[in-house]
Amino acid sequence: MSVKHTTEKALQMLRSLPRVTIGNIRDNPQSKQNPKRGRGQHGGDKHGAGNKGSGQRQNYMRLGYETGNTPFYMRFSYEPYYKGHHLKREYPPISLHQLQKLIDTDRLCTRAPIDLTTICNTGLFEIRPDLLHHGVQLTDEGADDFQAKINIEVQHAPESVIAAIERNGGVIRTAYYDPHSLYAVVNPKKWFEKGVPIPRRMLPPQDAVAYYTDARNRGYLADPEQISQERLVLAQKYGYTLPKIEDDPDYAMLTEAKDPRQIFYGLNPGWVISLKDRAIIREKQ
């Protein structure tokens, strides 16, 4: 049989056969064979679980248990840098890049002061006082691209973040909230629905007093005159011209600040907010 005759025969067969689809293809004959069951190793009495012990009863030992020996994590002396680790305050980070994105997407308004309540109301950040969260820390990621002029209050901020905000004519302040006040700050609606008075913010603990009274950290307990001097020092250090807040049309907004005992703007401690009646119940003078 010639090659030409074979080719024509193959082409004629292809013309007569239907198109190849999922519905008309099949495996080659005897390409799949059912595996035979092998000879039982234990005659079927163990059911593949082995001889006695944990493997058969499936009561496996917990991680770290060394069958009665002194465990590895107890075999060595206590490391002092873990002392009080479970009691340390935590500050979940928020970058300047994220803050700029919130402003550009109208989740944050720059015409009013921004605090922890405003950040939590965006629904994108969760602060849990039960996990020792004491607020947020502002990080310098995206500091070169930050362009907003804001009045913001956070709980921790490095020097580079302070410079990035003040370079644009903004104001930053670091403030402390005690755990009891944080429950009201992170979810005001839930707190108001309970019908209890707004709590009074407590002063920072002994190990945090130095941070919040330091003008270099823009602490809310620092001397305002020292803060003005430190603003000039930081501008000279980073090489930018410090805008004059006094000549700014938003001077009232930029200088608005809470009392050290206050946790909400415009609402004093001891007041009761009734959402149902849309009323504010003030204490008697």
Side-chain angles (χ1 to χ4, degrees):
M1 183 180 297
S2 64
V3 177
K4 184 178 180 181
H5 181 70
T6 306
T7 305
E8 292 178 355
K9 186 176 181 181
L11 291 174
Q12 184 180 0
M13 184 181 299
L14 286 175
R15 294 189 191 99
S16 61
L17 291 175
R19 296 180 64 88
V20 178
T21 62
I22 295 295
N24 58 19
I25 61 175
R26 65 182 64 179
D27 297 322
N28 295 329
Q30 298 183 354
S31 63
K32 287 187 176 181
Q33 296 181 358
N34 293 330
K36 298 180 180 178
R37 291 188 57 188
R39 178 173 173 270
Q41 188 174 3
H42 297 287
D45 59 338
K46 304 296 184 184
H47 305 287
N51 277 319
K52 300 185 179 178
S54 299
Q56 192 177 66
R57 301 186 179 89
Q58 297 182 0
N59 56 342
Y60 302 107
M61 292 179 291
R62 61 173 175 81
L63 291 176
Y65 182 66
E66 299 185 16
T67 64
N69 299 328
T70 304
F72 179 83
Y73 62 88
M74 296 178 62
R75 204 174 300 161
F76 305 98
S77 59
Y78 181 75
E79 296 293 346
Y81 47 77
Y82 285 130
K83 185 176 181 180
H85 184 73
H86 62 291
L87 300 175
K88 290 184 179 179
R89 294 183 293 273
E90 295 187 9
Y91 300 95
I94 297 179
S95 66
L96 287 174
H97 177 73
Q98 291 175 306
L99 190 64
Q100 183 68 56
K101 186 181 291 186
L102 292 175
I103 295 172
D104 294 341
T105 55
D106 293 334
R107 289 182 178 269
L108 289 178
C109 179
T110 58
R111 296 187 298 272
I114 300 173
D115 60 350
L116 187 60
T117 303
T118 314
I119 294 173
C120 291
N121 284 342
T122 61
L124 301 177
F125 302 96
E126 184 181 19
I127 302 299
R128 296 187 56 181
D130 57 322
L131 297 181
L132 299 183
H133 292 179
H134 280 69
V136 295
Q137 60 171 324
L138 204 55
T139 61
D140 58 358
E141 182 183 358
D144 296 335
D145 302 328
F146 189 75
Q147 302 295 332
K149 181 180 66 176
I150 57 174
N151 177 8
I152 188 170
E153 178 192 83
V154 293
Q155 283 59 61
H156 194 279
E159 185 182 75
S160 56
V161 170
I162 298 175
I165 292 178
E166 293 180 351
R167 180 185 59 200
N168 299 327
V171 175
I172 184 173
R173 191 174 294 102
T174 56
Y176 172 80
Y177 289 97
D178 59 283
H180 183 62
S181 300
L182 274 174
Y183 282 101
V185 170
V186 300
N187 196 343
K189 181 181 178 182
K190 184 177 180 180
W191 185 272
F192 296 157
E193 287 176 347
K194 293 192 295 185
V196 296
I198 299 174
R200 185 176 64 168
R201 176 164 46 165
M202 297 291 102
L203 295 176
Q206 192 67 30
D207 59 344
V209 170
Y211 182 85
Y212 292 109
T213 55
D214 193 347
R216 291 173 297 181
N217 302 324
R218 306 300 186 263
Y220 74 118
L221 299 177
D223 187 4
E225 295 183 359
Q226 294 183 2
I227 292 179
S228 299
Q229 296 176 1
E230 292 295 334
R231 283 170 58 90
L232 293 173
V233 171
L234 196 62
Q236 294 175 357
K237 180 178 180 179
Y238 282 82
Y240 59 87
T241 303
L242 185 66
K244 290 185 178 180
I245 302 180
E246 295 80 4
D247 301 335
D248 197 292
D250 298 327
Y251 176 76
M253 183 275 294
L254 293 174
T255 56
E256 186 176 356
K258 301 177 185 175
D259 185 80
R261 297 290 190 175
Q262 190 179 10
I263 66 174
F264 296 118
Y265 284 105
L267 299 176
N268 295 334
W271 291 3
V272 179
I273 311 300
S274 176
L275 297 180
K276 183 178 180 180
D277 300 332
R278 295 189 177 183
I280 300 176
I281 304 174
R282 298 176 173 85
E283 58 184 0
K284 293 183 179 180
Q285 299 294 335

